């Protein structure tokens, strides 16, 4: 009953539930509930509190972060309501607490909460709040853990994806292949979603493609290749031409003939001998199933002596039937060398057999790639068109966590501070406004914070911007454009 | 309709759905579907295939791994069935595939699949299959990504937890505090679950506590402390004694009096001056709310000059009322030094005020802890009773992924192998049996693999065990006990 009612409310407000059904008001640390009880006992639970959500240091030793996870936070608070069953569980966990508290918990939602945030996908910097959350202190505390859980990884992996895009360059295709190595199933789904936000082109993850409309990519694995024994396994050998005008009754023989022609071509003679028949059968079968999108994994046996020649034989046979093969994938070995050698092979085929465009066939690489390996490939020189990136992208292997925190900065209009012997851990008190200042050329110059009641920066007026902790970091800026960073996302929502 | 039917089947088999509702048959890589289609087109989809799921190297530079995630895999296959909506989505992704294929997909479940596995929670080693999965090749391929996604992180974090337990020792309490820094919400929930499996005592994560029956722990944060201005905020000052026999009308004054007594005690005079009144108010409020379980976070201002004296004043006042305080939590600074100083302080209180057991008060530490920092604390000497561990535990910061793979080892009774120039990446062909051999003292000596049809090891019979790749690694073993490692989990299930 309670669940049905909450569902109804959410629908009325038009904000869907969190993508992961496991994201409920119980997805939080117990101390949020014990504190809520202590606030309630002290009659302080309705005290109006302002919390800032921010991080202290850019990840990956870098100079920027991309903010992700906001939409899920808004979904969460829009649907924030305890079910009767959840209240019952909390009673069992906190058996000494008074009934009145659980009645209070049953009654709360987030209608009295305000969320101001920087838009999702923006470049953000340390100490400037990504979100400013205001409301009754007991309620806001309950939001701390889920908000951090929804923002920390989302922002981290978005940033990681953006860094991979920067090193790979605009022209390369970037494919996220990380589901199997992600930290749990929704680590995988979130990774696909936020990698796309960070600049990837597609994912292998079908569920993520469906949930978020991300383009999905994939062809075949090594197991597919080794599952075939030989060409005699292929029983249905017919292939209709691309335009439907003709039919090749024995596509297998067409492939075999092409393989012989390649072997015998003057430019390639002696570069390879007998290729794997298991592999040739697998490629041929895959081409018969997907003549329009034939892309072959060529490293199950030997890239240059088997995989690439076999691929070319099938691609040339497809070409005879009016189909254009897509290309190959390399998943092991020296990717720079193999991609260059493969490209040369493709150019020879184009030249020797007069197949225009064959040299430009797509080369995808996908073996434990990351920022450093792509950078190394760039320096060596390579012929890779697309990178498939898994483990290092989705687990953020180089730094597996972003340390966003959620700090009380004001209560009942009184500024609050968390002191620390470590100056970088001292919180910056007061409810704030945040601005991004732009220079003449339209580029952003600096983000600044002011107290809520202080006058904001004005266009064309010189302003002294000072670092909150490092006295020497200060600069005069004359903004040509001023953007207020924290915008209202709740109540109401902009998604 | 299709969903309802699948639900019914699952209930009949008695296996619940995966814990995370996002774990569906679409949670896989697209290439599993394109391969399934190519198998189907080639008439090979029913070929009987055997795949091994294994890893190649223990994580964290260690010598062991703990297997986690099996139960979720069995839940997944027990409920494996495509809904009409999922089939519709797949049609849109693979528009060139024939209708018959989607009819085939609609028809499949895992009734024709066999899963043999090592029991969950066992210590496991590289190359020995954790799971052996057998069935129609097209179906088994569809399981690859979800199985890896369910096993990789589960095993990694279980292992990480076990390593933390080893370094902390048996007597310490280990608390998992990682939800806010985990890789997404279900990274957090899985971390709590598998940390408990790996030897942790409790979690802060309420949702995980509810889902898996893990003990839940938590008290209050820095924000709670700084949300209080001073003692005059406490309006309801009364506390009934533990046995209900008396009532203190002004517990706040009782606390204040104790603070003066501590300040004036001959042993402590001069060690601290005025303590934070904000902190004292927070501690007093928390004690009024939870007199039976008072544990205070003492580092918001200054541990030795404010936090610990304030805690002791409240704990002594509680003691007057028949309540035993639990202890303190340190979340910053030099944990070895502060824990030792705090312990001394507690002993002085016990001695000066004759409160038996006060010196044994619990000290919890929780600031960015990991294996190395706990090891360093052990070497320095410390007085910590419980460790709260977050980021490094749940994100497996030291190594964020376990590289489990899923390799074809046999098809239609024919052994299959994946070759590689890197010998550690060569797969070990054939359907296998796996045994753990135990010596006289009852300790396990070695795990061995044999072909399915080979005779197994016999008790008391000398056996030459050889490493599959390293010729020099070989040893004669006379097992006193032989345990077959791979047991049948599906069909039927043992959970």
């Amino acid at each position: 009953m309670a669940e049905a009612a909450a569902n109804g409310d959410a629908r009325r407000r038009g904000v869907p539930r969190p993508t992961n059904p496991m994201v409920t008001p119980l997805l939080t640390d117990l101390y949020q509930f014990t504190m809520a009880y202590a606030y309630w006992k002290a009659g302080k639970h309705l005290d109006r509190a302002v919390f800032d959500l921010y991080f202290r240091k850019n990840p990956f030793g870098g100079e920027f972060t991309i903010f992700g996870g906001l939409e899920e936070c808004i979904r969460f608070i829009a649907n924030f309501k305890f079910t009767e069953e959840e209240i019952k569980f909390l009673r069992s966990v906190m058996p000494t607490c008074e009934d009145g508290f659980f009645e209070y918990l049953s009654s709360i939602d987030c209608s009295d909460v305000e969320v101001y945030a920087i838009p999702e996908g923006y470049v953000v910097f340390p100490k400037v709040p990504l979100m400013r959350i205001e409301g009754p202190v007991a309620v806001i505390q309950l939001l701390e853990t889920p908000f951090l859980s929804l923002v920390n990884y989302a922002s981290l992996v978005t940033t990681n994806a953006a860094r991979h895009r920067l090193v790979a360059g605009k022209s390369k295709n970037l494919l996220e292949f990380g589901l199997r190595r992600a930290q749990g199933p929704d680590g995988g789904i979130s990774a696909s979603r936020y990698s796309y936000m960070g600049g990837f082109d597609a994912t292998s993850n079908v569920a993520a493609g469906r949930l978020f409309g991300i383009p999905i990519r994939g062809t075949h694995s090594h197991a597919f290749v080794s599952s075939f024994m030989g060409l005699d396994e292929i029983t249905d050998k017919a292939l209709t031409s691309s335009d439907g005008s003709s039919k090749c009754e024995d596509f297998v023989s067409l492939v075999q003939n092409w393989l012989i022609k390649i072997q015998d071509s003057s430019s390639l003679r002696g570069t390879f001998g007998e290729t794997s028949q298991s592999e040739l059968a697998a490629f041929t079968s895959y081409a018969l199933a997907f003549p329009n999108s034939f892309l072959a994994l060529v490293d199950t046996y030997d890239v240059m002596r088997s995989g690439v020649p076999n691929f070319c034989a099938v691609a040339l046979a497809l070409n005879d039937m009016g189909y254009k093969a897509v290309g190959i994938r390399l998943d092991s070995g020296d990717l720079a060398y193999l991609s260059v050698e493969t490209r040369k092979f493709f150019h020879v085929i184009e030249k020797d057999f007069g197949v225009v465009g064959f040299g430009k066939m797509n080369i995808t690489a996908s073996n434990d790639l990351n920022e450093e390996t792509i950078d190394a490939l760039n320096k060596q020189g390579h012929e890779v068109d697309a990178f498939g990136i898994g483990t290092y992208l989705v687990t953020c292997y180089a730094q597996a966590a972003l340390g966003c925190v959620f700090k009380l900065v004001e209560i009942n209009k009184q500024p609050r501070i968390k002191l620390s012997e470590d100056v970088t851990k001292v919180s910056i008190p007061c409810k704030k406004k945040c601005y991004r200042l732009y220079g003449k050329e339209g580029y952003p110059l600096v983000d600044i914070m002011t107290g809520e009641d202080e006058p904001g920066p004005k266009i064309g007026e010189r302003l002294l911007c000072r670092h909150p902790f490092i006295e020497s970091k200060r600069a005069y800026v004359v903004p040509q454009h001023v953007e207020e960073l924290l915008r209202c996302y709740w109540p109401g929502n902009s998604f």
Side-chain angles (χ1 to χ4, degrees), chain A:
Chain A
M1 277 292 284
E3 191 127 30
N7 261 314
D9 287 344
R11 254 181 252 120
R12 272 198 294 283
R13 280 190 293 265
V15 182
R17 292 185 164 266
T19 302
N20 185 344
M22 297 177 97
V23 179
T24 69
L26 290 196
L27 189 75
T28 196
D29 293 307
L30 180 61
Y31 78 3
Q32 314 292 8
F33 289 108
T34 51
M35 285 192 280
Y37 181 66
Y39 286 131
W40 181 85
K41 272 291 278 182
K44 268 179 72 71
H45 54 297
L46 298 180
D47 284 10
R48 193 87 186 158
V50 181
F51 284 77
D52 282 349
L53 189 156
Y54 62 96
F55 60 93
R56 298 182 180 120
K57 200 165 185 283
N58 287 308
F60 313 116
E63 297 294 335
F64 71 93
T65 299
I66 314 274
F67 176 32
L70 176 60
E71 182 188 344
E72 291 297 323
C73 290
I74 301 303
R75 286 178 174 226
F76 177 68
I77 60 168
N79 294 281
F80 187 94
K81 189 84 192 158
F82 290 96
T83 65
E84 282 173 25
E85 203 202 339
E86 287 167 340
I87 295 288
K88 200 175 150 197
F89 178 72
L90 288 171
R91 278 181 190 269
S92 74
V93 173
M94 300 160 72
T96 62
C97 298
E98 295 169 27
D99 283 348
F101 173 65
F102 297 105
E103 284 157 25
Y104 165 66
L105 276 189
S106 300
S107 75
I108 57 175
D109 60 21
C110 287
S111 53
D112 198 20
V113 171
E114 286 177 24
V115 176
Y116 281 72
I118 297 178
E120 189 158 8
Y122 260 47
V123 174
V124 290
F125 300 98
K127 298 194 185 296
V128 180
L130 311 179
M131 301 173 74
R132 186 186 78 203
I133 303 101
E134 180 175 344
V137 65
V139 176
I140 306 301
Q141 290 272 204
L142 294 174
L143 305 178
E144 174 178 17
T145 316
F147 272 29
L148 289 173
S149 170
L150 291 167
V151 167
N152 262 326
Y153 177 60
S155 300
L156 185 72
V157 74
T158 307
T159 308
N160 202 19
R163 293 176 62 92
H164 281 79
R165 169 55 72 195
L166 284 175
V167 68
K170 282 183 190 171
S171 67
K172 300 299 173 191
N173 250 288
L174 292 182
L175 315 170
E176 179 271 311
F177 282 177
L179 177 57
R180 65 187 58 196
R181 300 286 168 83
Q183 298 204 343
D186 122 334
I189 288 177
S190 299
S192 305
R193 173 189 196 169
Y194 295 109
S195 293
Y196 190 56
M197 186 184 286
F200 271 55
D201 297 293
T203 179
S204 65
N205 181 340
V206 180
R210 182 191 184 205
L211 280 167
F212 310 115
I214 306 169
I216 317 175
R217 293 284 177 275
T219 50
H220 71 83
S221 71
H222 296 116
F224 182 79
V225 174
S226 49
S227 78
F228 283 82
M229 305 287 169
L231 288 163
D232 52 353
E233 275 185 90
I234 304 177
T235 45
D236 184 0
K237 305 177 179 185
L239 181 66
T240 304
S241 67
S242 173
D243 61 6
S245 67
S246 66
K247 189 171 184 180
C248 170
E249 292 298 337
D250 188 354
F251 184 71
V252 172
S253 294
L254 187 60
V255 168
Q256 285 177 305
N257 290 340
W258 268 114
L259 188 59
I260 292 164
K261 282 188 220 167
I262 299 171
Q263 267 165 332
D264 288 348
S265 84
S266 56
S267 332
L268 295 170
R269 199 174 300 146
T271 62
F272 67 97
E274 205 179 324
T275 63
S276 162
Q277 292 300 291
S278 150
E279 183 178 64
L280 189 62
F283 289 0
T284 306
S285 283
Y286 195 84
L288 284 166
F290 294 100
N292 279 305
S293 51
F294 174 58
L295 191 150
L297 176 62
V298 294
D299 69 333
T300 305
Y301 301 106
D302 186 309
V303 173
M304 298 315 299
R305 290 169 187 276
S306 182
V308 170
N310 278 339
F311 164 80
C312 290
V314 178
L316 288 165
L318 282 173
N319 183 61
D320 284 350
M321 303 300 293
Y323 297 100
K324 208 173 162 315
V326 175
I328 59 131
R329 179 159 72 94
L330 298 165
D331 191 42
S332 61
D334 181 339
L335 300 174
Y337 171 79
L338 291 171
S339 67
V340 169
E341 289 304 303
T342 302
R343 181 70 69 209
K344 283 186 203 158
F345 202 104
F346 288 164
H347 280 302
V348 169
I349 298 283
E350 171 160 355
K351 192 160 158 278
D352 280 17
F353 301 107
V355 183
V356 176
F358 204 101
K360 292 204 173 68
M361 201 69 78
N362 184 291
I363 298 176
T364 299
S366 63
N367 180 35
D368 275 351
L369 294 172
N370 58 32
E371 268 189 81
E372 284 70 38
T373 50
I374 295 172
D375 187 50
L377 285 172
N378 288 344
K379 284 173 182 151
Q380 282 176 269
H382 66 83
E383 287 289 339
V384 176
D385 303 296
F387 294 104
I389 310 181
T391 311
Y392 291 91
L393 173 67
V394 305
T395 65
C396 300
Y397 210 90
Q399 181 183 327
L402 177 65
C404 276
V405 294
F406 191 90
K407 293 289 172 194
L408 179 68
V409 294
E410 189 177 293
I411 192 160
N412 292 338
K413 300 273 176 194
Q414 298 295 310
R416 306 309 287 162
I417 190 167
K418 157 79 178 78
L419 297 174
S420 174
E421 284 173 32
D422 181 353
V423 71
T424 65
K425 285 200 168 184
V426 173
S427 65
I428 301 173
C430 297
K431 183 172 176 179
K432 305 170 191 68
K433 287 191 169 186
C434 303
Y435 303 91
R436 183 157 293 175
L437 309 187
Y438 291 79
K440 268 185 239 168
E441 293 77 15
Y443 292 112
L445 300 173
V446 68
D447 288 357
I448 62 164
M449 299 181 265
T450 69
E452 196 208 5
D453 302 325
E454 290 180 74
K458 290 199 181 59
I459 290 169
E461 271 189 22
R462 197 170 86 136
L463 184 76
L464 177 60
C465 305
R466 289 184 301 183
H467 191 281
F469 299 116
I470 305 169
E471 186 63 21
S472 63
K473 282 199 177 175
R474 44 161 68 193
Y476 281 103
V477 173
V478 183
Q480 299 304 311
H481 171 60
V482 174
E483 181 181 22
E484 188 157 356
L485 286 172
L486 292 175
R487 304 173 193 183
C488 183
Y489 281 89
W490 184 261
N493 84 94
S494 320
F495 292 105

